[in-house]
Amino acid sequence: MEVLGVDIGGTNINAGIVKEGAITGQSYVSVNAEDSEKQTLEFLFNCIDGLITNNTKAIGVGVPAIVDSLKGIVYDVQNIPAWKEVHLINILENRYNIPAYINNDANCFAMGEKLYGKGKGFQNFIGLSIGTGLGMGIIINNEIYNGVLSGAGEIGMIAYKNSILEQYTSSFFFADNYGLSAKEIHDRALQGDDLALTAFAEFGTHLGEAINTILYLFAPEAIILGGSIRKAYSFFKESMDQKINLFAYPEQIKNLKIETSELAESAILGAASLCFQKLEETIQE
């Protein structure tokens, strides 16, 4: 069965044709926070149009926002301010004449890891996406926990210091404090640049605080890191671990696993899994 998975991120829209658990074709386009709703939808259409075939049975989309997955409505996308209330399922189904399904992008990341990645071996784990923003997907007893409007896991919005956690545990931290992107800081860290190494040490401390909050709330078996900043894990792991080691209940974290995703596109695979799950339910009915 062939479906199309789409990951709408803060800076890019990535789409892939998924068949038998593998991505067989892929495309992406850049998006800008200042783009209008219509412009961003056109970028989405362009990304899909280059991939979709007569064999594509459904479209699954992960969105960095709260979503009504039953009605197919996306609300208040933080990184695309023009998306206040977008009836995305109706838009996609009317254009492509196949079923469409949506969920929060971090939920899709966690589902992708559960089905295809490092989450396979855990019943209860957190998928933590660190990139343009900070997103979290929650797996409890092998199932995604969505909460109301798929809004569970918005840990980045928790008050922290003089702002919110996301400002200290995503690309915002590097831009706000160093005037550079996370990628630029990473490139400099690879060259042994002292400023970059200091930046990642500070970042790791903040991320450790976020992880401790997660541990108090969910006591997971594992936390799987995704998003582009995970690629710099070796530079912030030490300071992150130092903060986690201050956790109040050492017995709880004795066997905690913190892993980095090895899937190139777990969010696309997770979005595609929305389709497989729904289509299988339809067949069983």
Side-chain angles (χ1 to χ4, degrees):
M1 184 186 299
E2 174 184 300
V3 303
L4 197 149
V6 183
D7 174 34
I8 299 179
T11 55
N12 294 293
I13 298 174
N14 294 287
I17 289 291
V18 179
K19 187 175 183 179
E20 296 178 358
I23 298 174
T24 60
Q26 196 170 346
S27 69
Y28 76 95
V29 295
S30 298
V31 294
N32 190 308
E34 305 305 317
D35 291 336
S36 68
E37 177 183 325
K38 182 178 180 182
Q39 286 173 313
T40 308
L41 283 172
E42 286 299 326
F43 289 139
L44 174 61
F45 297 152
N46 290 340
C47 205
I48 293 173
D49 290 348
L51 292 172
I52 198 165
T53 73
N54 291 333
N55 294 321
T56 305
K57 303 300 183 184
I59 301 170
V61 185
V63 188
I66 58 172
V67 301
D68 186 328
S69 58
L70 295 177
K71 295 180 179 178
I73 304 172
V74 178
Y75 295 101
D76 300 317
V77 181
Q78 295 298 304
N79 295 317
I80 311 174
W83 280 34
K84 296 295 184 186
E85 181 178 327
V86 180
H87 293 243
L88 191 57
I89 283 184
N90 284 342
I91 291 169
L92 292 174
E93 290 186 343
N94 288 337
R95 181 178 175 90
Y96 296 106
N97 296 311
I98 56 175
Y101 309 99
I102 62 173
N103 206 316
N104 175 270
D105 63 337
N107 290 346
C108 290
F109 162 61
M111 287 191 291
E113 287 296 324
K114 177 62 184 173
L115 293 174
Y116 306 108
K118 291 189 174 179
K120 286 182 178 180
F122 303 107
Q123 291 185 333
N124 304 283
F125 74 89
I126 298 295
L128 194 63
S129 181
I130 47 176
T132 303
L134 179 69
M136 185 170 82
I138 305 162
I139 300 292
I140 298 176
N141 294 330
N142 295 315
E143 299 288 339
I144 193 75
Y145 175 70
N146 288 302
V148 175
L149 294 179
S150 301
E154 289 294 320
I155 189 172
M157 300 302 290
I158 292 176
Y160 180 67
K161 293 189 177 293
N162 64 339
S163 184
I164 57 176
L165 267 173
E166 186 169 79
Q167 293 295 132
Y168 290 87
T169 55
S170 70
S171 60
F172 291 115
F173 171 76
F174 301 103
D176 291 346
N177 293 279
Y178 294 91
L180 297 169
S181 70
K183 184 181 185 307
E184 289 170 325
I185 292 285
H186 187 203
D187 289 342
R188 291 173 64 162
L190 289 169
Q191 301 301 317
D193 181 85
D194 287 340
L195 180 68
L197 296 175
T198 297
F200 275 120
E202 293 176 357
F203 176 85
T205 297
H206 298 308
L207 185 63
E209 290 280 14
I211 288 174
N212 283 348
T213 299
I214 292 168
L215 295 174
Y216 286 121
L217 291 171
F218 296 103
E221 301 168 70
I223 295 173
I224 301 172
L225 302 179
S228 57
I229 299 177
R230 82 185 192 283
K231 298 174 184 177
Y233 183 59
S234 62
F235 294 110
F236 61 79
K237 180 182 185 300
E238 182 177 356
S239 59
M240 180 193 74
D241 285 345
Q242 288 174 349
K243 184 59 67 173
I244 295 171
N245 287 338
L246 299 176
F247 187 71
Y249 306 115
E251 193 67 23
Q252 180 184 323
I253 62 171
K254 183 183 294 185
N255 297 311
L256 174 70
K257 303 295 184 184
I258 297 181
E259 305 276 1
T260 57
S261 173
E262 293 180 352
L263 292 177
E265 298 292 354
S266 55
I268 288 178
L269 291 169
S273 74
L274 299 174
C275 303
F276 293 126
Q277 182 183 37
K278 294 294 185 181
L279 292 173
E280 286 176 3
E281 289 174 359
T282 301
I283 292 171
Q284 290 174 0
E285 291 175 357

